[in-house]
């Protein structure tokens, strides 16, 4: 009997250690460092929960470092397809569509802003994606080298708010699409269906997220091509919207650019989360380029398409009514349903569920950020935090369903501010003080005394906030510098000032901190 059990144990170990499965849950049962507080491991409630989940293929690894022996994700292309699926979605289309009814731009100036600002916004995402294979650390844990062991908890709070907020905004877009083809389906029903679908994928973890994102872009891309062809055939595209000049145009471009930047750069705070299982010897240039390609194509394609369709709102009352009634969902439904009938309705439903791909990285990564907050939250398994995060954004999305456009615009701008501050600290620390990868001692990530104290980073954050306030141009507040950058409503330069104020302040504060503390 004993030999039979040994055979079974060895067979099970081989099954979990086979190529491509080491990132699943079962392998983590054996290798994840499950810390105990004066308890025997076998008696630990956490261990028993993890073991039970592992039987069903749930990823158990949280913010623990992935050792180089487990970084065996052999597929290089899925670095790109993850971001391709995440952004080949209706939420990206919605960003482009905002240019016309919200910022009152023409198509040419909208298109130029979309192309160049997206290139700028995704650069930090591409850069930090290269750190995953190198160190095997999640982005928030990597951030301890910039903000300190305790300072990063503040950053994690910002990231939690961002992930929850984005998830709520995205699921509202999906619910609007469903409502646009069937007004009898209330908004909360669409929100619940999309959120539960996302929850199922994220509970199982990294491997299922990557598998889903590897293919989900294909039907969405095909449908967006159908939207493009149908709209082009209709003759409703209005490229003659004026390309104007002067302070009003400058302010509108700057404010729209802030929205585009906030969406594009929004993945920076968890960029490394999706490359930690790539081999340690993976070329950094390859990771950077795959990430760049996976981001730039869907962002530019969908946003340009959204801006093109939105031009019809100005000249065609039917499009205007559809947008007023059901928002972005109504706009897409008006393109597809009258021409294609039932098939058009099917296309709209598929686009509604594209928000699942957009929300998967948010909800997967919010669980990791929650584990960073404290010792107690770290001990809660990752997949439980996935459920908590889902419940919170559902609670936000349902009452906010009827206020999508204003909420989206304001929220995107605020996200742009905090990410500009994050990038100002992290890039300055990496480039100036650590001077590249050789400046990191990876084993220090759990040692508060070996990491920066965090005073410089927190102080620089406060200075960055001041810069954002000076440069913002929101409906509810316009800063003194923002007011100078446009006509009546100013122009938003909050993220430019937030980044520059933060970077310059951090240079001075960090120099003093290193001199005083020696680290």
């Amino acid at each position: 009997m004993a030999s039979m059990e040994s055979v079974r144990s060895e067979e099970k170990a081989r099954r979990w250690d086979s190529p491509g499965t080491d990132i699943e849950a079962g392998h983590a049962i054996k290798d994840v460092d499950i810390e105990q507080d004066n308890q025997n491991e076998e008696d630990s409630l956490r261990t028993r929960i993890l073991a039970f989940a592992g039987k069903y293929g749930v990823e158990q690894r949280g913010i623990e470092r992935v050792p180089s022996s487990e970084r065996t994700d052999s597929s290089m292309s899925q670095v790109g397809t993850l971001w391709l699926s995440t952004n080949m979605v209706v939420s990206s289309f919605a960003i482009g569509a905002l240019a016309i009814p919200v910022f009152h731009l023409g198509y040419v100036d909208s298109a130029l802003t979309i192309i160049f600002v997206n290139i700028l916004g995704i650069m930090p995402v591409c850069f930090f994606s290269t750190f995953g294979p190198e160190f095997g650390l999640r982005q928030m844990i990597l951030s301890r080298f910039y903000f300190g062991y305790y300072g990063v908890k503040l950053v994690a709070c910002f990231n939690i708010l961002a992930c929850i907020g984005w998830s709520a905004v995205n699921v509202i877009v999906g619910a609007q699409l469903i409502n646009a083809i069937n007004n009898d389906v209330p908004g909360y029903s669409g929100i619940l269906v999309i959120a539960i679908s996302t929850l199922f994928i994220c509970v199982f973890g990294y491997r299922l997220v990557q598998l889903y994102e590897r293919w989900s872009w294909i039907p969405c891309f095909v449908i967006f091509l159908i939207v493009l062809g149908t709209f082009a055939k209709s003759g409703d595209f209005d490229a003659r919207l004026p390309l104007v000049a002067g302070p009003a145009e400058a302010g509108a471009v700057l404010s729209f650019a802030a929205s585009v930047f906030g969406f594009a750069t929004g993945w920076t705070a968890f960029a490394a989360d999706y490359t930690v299982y790539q081999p340690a010897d993976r070329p950094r240039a390859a990771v950077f380029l795959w990430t760049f390609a996976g981001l730039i194509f869907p962002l530019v394609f969908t946003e340009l398409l959204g801006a093109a369709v939105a031009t019809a709102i100005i000249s065609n009352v039917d499009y205007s009514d559809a947008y007023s009634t059901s928002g972005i969902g109504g706009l897409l439904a008006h393109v597809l349903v009258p021409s294609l009938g039932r098939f058009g309705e099917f296309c709209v439903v598929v686009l509604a569920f594209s928000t699942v791909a957009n929300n998967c990285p948010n909800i997967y990564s919010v669980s990791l950020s929650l584990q960073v907050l404290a010792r107690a939250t770290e001990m809660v398994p990752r997949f439980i935090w996935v459920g908590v995060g889902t419940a919170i954004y559902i609670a936000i999305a349902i009452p906010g369903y009827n206020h999508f456009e204003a909420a989206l615009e304001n929220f995107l701008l605020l996200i742009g501010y905090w990410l500009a501050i994050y990038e100002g600290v992290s890039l300055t620390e990496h480039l100036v003080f650590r001077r590249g990868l050789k400046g990191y001692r990876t084993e220090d990530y759990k040692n508060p005394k070996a990491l920066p104290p965090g005073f410089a980073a927190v102080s620089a954050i406060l200075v960055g906030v001041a810069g954002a306030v000076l440069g913002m141009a929101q409906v509810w507040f316009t800063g003194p510098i923002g007011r100078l950058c446009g006509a009546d409503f100013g122009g938003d330069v909050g993220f430019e000032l937030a980044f520059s104020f933060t970077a310059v302040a951090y240079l001075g504060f960090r120099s003093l901190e290193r001199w005083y503390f020696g680290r």
Side-chain angles (χ1 to χ4, degrees), residues 145-148 429 433 451-459 506-519:
F145 290 96
Y146 314 133
F147 295 88
E429 173 69 22
F433 296 102
L451 295 166
F455 298 115
V458 173
S459 300
Y506 188 72
L507 278 172
F509 291 144
R510 182 69 174 126
S511 298
L512 290 173
E513 186 178 66
R514 283 167 62 93
W515 170 77
Y516 186 81
F517 291 97
R519 55 187 171 96

Side-chain angles (χ1 to χ4, degrees), residues 110-122 257 260-261 296 300:
S110 301
L112 292 172
T113 304
I114 286 168
I115 293 168
F116 290 107
V117 174
N118 271 308
I119 292 173
L120 176 65
I122 66 175
V260 173
F261 178 85
I296 195 64
V300 170

Side-chain angles (χ1 to χ4, degrees), residues 163-175:
C163 291
I164 294 295
W166 272 119
S167 297
V169 166
N170 293 335
V171 79
I172 288 172
V173 177

Side-chain angles (χ1 to χ4, degrees), residues 249-422:
E249 169 73 3
V253 168
L254 287 169
S255 296
F256 179 54
S259 294
V260 173
F261 178 85
F263 192 89
T265 207
W267 309 112
T268 302
F270 37 91
D273 293 355
Y274 303 97
T275 56
V276 290
Y277 288 104
Q278 290 288 319
D281 59 353
R282 184 73 79 191
R284 297 189 74 206
V287 175
F288 185 98
L289 292 174
W290 272 104
T291 305
F292 182 86
L295 284 165
I296 195 64
F297 172 67
L299 285 170
V300 170
F301 172 70
T302 55
E303 289 174 16
L304 288 177
L305 181 59
V309 174
T311 61
I313 295 174
I314 305 301
S315 56
N316 190 313
V317 68
D318 293 332
Y319 283 89
S320 179
D321 290 343
Y323 180 74
S324 300
T325 302
S326 298
I328 297 300
L331 200 59
L332 279 167
H334 189 73
V335 174
L336 292 170
V337 176
S339 300
L340 303 177
R342 290 290 185 183
F343 179 70
E345 294 180 356
F346 170 77
C347 291
V348 172
V349 172
V350 173
L351 288 179
F353 280 92
S354 73
T355 55
V356 173
N358 199 230
N359 273 358
C360 278
N362 287 319
I363 296 305
Y364 179 81
S365 289
V366 77
S367 64
L368 303 173
S369 293
L370 284 162
Q371 286 190 321
V372 171
L373 293 181
R375 162 75 175 171
T377 60
E378 182 179 354
M379 296 303 292
V380 176
R382 177 201 61 80
F383 49 85
I384 292 178
W385 284 126
V386 167
V388 172
T390 300
I392 294 172
Y393 85 76
I394 289 174
I396 294 171
I398 290 176
Y401 175 78
N402 293 318
H403 308 285
F404 165 65
E405 185 178 335
L408 176 62
E409 180 190 353
N410 294 330
F411 185 72
L412 287 178
L413 292 171
L414 291 172
I415 292 304
Y417 302 148
W418 108 258
L419 286 164
I421 292 169
Y422 176 86

